[in-house]
Amino acid sequence: MLRLATVATPLPDRALTAIRLGRDGWRINDIAQVLGCSRRTVQRYLRSVR
């Protein structure tokens, strides 16, 4: 069986900012507004660290 190595891609700066703000207690809508993206994008960023 051929196994491919998985390479972790670094998160973009915007994702890291969203994660930091989320951990600081910011609401998803507020994070989205500051970053200029949708709620859905913020939710994906926050889910990526679980």
Side-chain angles (χ1 to χ4, degrees):
M1 172 189 259
L2 178 63
R3 294 180 192 244
L4 299 175
T6 56
V7 177
T9 57
L11 293 172
D13 289 339
R14 195 163 78 162
L16 297 174
T17 300
I19 292 164
R20 181 179 49 80
L21 294 175
R23 287 183 177 162
D24 288 346
W26 285 49
R27 295 180 311 173
I28 291 174
N29 286 337
D30 296 333
I31 297 170
Q33 185 175 9
V34 167
L35 296 179
C37 63
S38 70
R39 280 180 47 87
R40 182 75 181 117
T41 299
V42 173
Q43 290 170 330
R44 275 195 310 270
Y45 289 155
L46 297 178
R47 196 173 51 240
S48 71
V49 293
R50 288 185 183 165

